[in-house]
Amino acid sequence: MAMFRIACCSVLLFLSYAGAKIDTEGMIMVPGASGFTVGTNAKDGRDGESPARKADVDAFFMDAKPVTNKQFRDFVRATKYKTDAEKFGWSFVFHHFPTEAVIKGIKEKVKGMEWWLPVEQAYWRKPFGPGSGIKERQDYPVTQMSLSDAAAYCKWASKRLPTEAEWELAAGGTAKNKVYPWGKKLEKNRMNVWQGKFPDVNTLADGYEGQAPVDAFGPQTDTGFYNLLGNGWEWTSDVYKPVPGEPPSEDKKYVLKGGSYVDSSDGKTNHKVRVTTRMGNTADSGSDNMAFRCAVSVAAVHDEL
């Protein structure tokens, strides 16, 4: 999905919060790699996924799981932070989830993507708008996150968002797999993606409609990372560069990785989910299928000791 808002809020990549030391609990150390291949040369690559290119990556830590509602709530309680969705007063919600009353009140939809509804008062604490909540979703990924929100949380934790190269290196496990985190072949019940006739019929063959808890399906890599593929798109710090034939955007976009519950394993529904899957979106965009995790350089941790 690619939805865009008129940018009215600056990217909070350099927000400064006093205090916190770098805590690597719940993170996995990924050794660096020289000349690591990012992307793919597959003919069905999209959104700049192809061609493959080389990158040098220094050793880093990355969260084993996406940031949860509980973790983001702790951040908000400590800082009184207001997300972009709260400032705008609305955000995008997949059409299966708002209440009937909310849906009846929606006056406008995005042409060609009518399944994404602009819902007033939808934000991280009420991810599907009025009538929804996170009381029973503490271990779910926090959603309705813009890049600015994600970067602000990571900064508070003395961390940062991962780069695209870091994210892909972590997602490949020790074998640096480029198709799925667990290997070259698709395996059932390893990720939360769309199954059924999109956008109305979801067979729930994987057990979930919408996002799943951060530890659902077990680790996807042999190193212990969860939910890198499917569930929710994850922000990176990389600027997204338009590809040939793509409509120009007035606002800078950033790369998201991993696909989400509205994408598919074969690419027939939205994006084809694999390690190299990517898309671009503006820094203030958010929806109920966008999340994030944090990273930190090993050198930064050592410098603190």
Side-chain angles (χ1 to χ4, degrees), residues 37-98:
T37 301
V38 182
T40 177
N41 287 319
K43 293 181 179 179
D44 59 354
R46 58 180 291 188
D47 294 345
E49 189 180 0
S50 302
R53 55 268 185 205
K54 299 293 184 179
D56 294 330
V57 182
D58 293 330
F60 64 99
F61 289 89
M62 193 167 82
D63 288 337
K65 303 170 185 176
V67 173
T68 65
N69 284 313
K70 181 181 184 302
Q71 290 172 312
F72 197 80
R73 182 192 64 188
D74 292 343
F75 161 61
V76 170
R77 287 177 174 176
T79 64
K80 311 304 179 186
Y81 180 81
K82 295 291 184 182
T83 63
D84 278 344
E86 291 173 271
K87 296 171 185 175
F88 285 119
W90 66 277
S91 196
F92 285 107
V93 179
F94 191 67
H95 71 131
H96 281 196
F97 304 123

Side-chain angles (χ1 to χ4, degrees), residues 84-305:
D84 278 344
E86 291 173 271
K87 296 171 185 175
F88 285 119
W90 66 277
S91 196
F92 285 107
V93 179
F94 191 67
H95 71 131
H96 281 196
F97 304 123
T99 64
E100 288 187 16
V102 169
I103 292 175
K104 287 180 180 179
I106 294 173
K107 305 301 182 184
E108 298 182 17
K109 297 181 181 180
V110 179
K111 187 176 181 180
M113 303 191 78
E114 290 83 3
W115 45 89
W116 286 111
L117 305 179
V119 175
E120 292 185 3
Q121 300 177 49
Y123 68 107
W124 72 273
R125 198 182 289 274
K126 296 181 179 181
F128 309 131
S132 65
I134 61 169
K135 184 177 180 180
E136 307 300 327
R137 299 171 66 90
Q138 294 294 296
D139 61 344
Y140 280 63
V142 64
T143 61
Q144 303 297 357
M145 291 286 103
S146 69
L147 174 76
S148 306
D149 302 331
Y153 174 92
C154 292
K155 186 69 176 181
W156 172 73
S158 298
K159 301 171 186 177
R160 57 174 174 77
L161 289 170
T163 66
E164 181 176 20
E166 287 174 333
W167 195 98
E168 279 199 21
L169 182 59
T174 57
K176 298 182 177 61
N177 297 307
K178 300 303 294 182
V179 183
Y180 305 107
W182 52 85
K184 295 182 178 180
K185 294 184 178 180
L186 178 66
E187 296 179 5
K188 291 184 178 180
N189 298 321
R190 295 301 300 269
M191 59 182 178
N192 180 14
V193 293
W194 191 270
Q195 293 151 319
K197 188 175 181 180
F198 187 84
D200 297 316
V201 180
N202 187 340
T203 66
L204 308 183
D206 55 23
Y208 295 95
E209 182 174 25
Q211 295 237 24
V214 295
D215 59 356
F217 307 103
Q220 290 182 331
T221 70
D222 57 2
T223 51
F225 286 106
Y226 290 73
N227 274 321
L228 288 158
L229 297 194
N231 220 33
W233 286 99
E234 298 186 6
W235 287 106
T236 74
S237 61
D238 281 30
V239 173
Y240 177 86
K241 298 178 181 179
V243 298
E246 183 176 336
S249 173
E250 294 181 1
D251 303 308
K252 184 184 292 186
K253 297 180 185 179
Y254 291 82
V255 175
L256 293 102
K257 298 292 292 182
S260 78
Y261 70 86
V262 301
D263 298 293
S264 59
S265 59
D266 58 10
K268 292 181 180 179
T269 297
N270 301 315
H271 286 76
K272 183 175 183 178
V273 178
R274 55 191 174 196
V275 169
T276 56
T277 300
R278 73 199 301 259
M279 76 165 185
N281 216 332
T282 55
D284 57 356
S285 294
S287 66
D288 71 60
N289 72 333
M290 292 165 70
F292 71 98
R293 68 183 78 207
C294 302
V296 64
S297 302
V298 167
V301 176
H302 289 171
D303 288 345
E304 190 183 62
L305 298 178

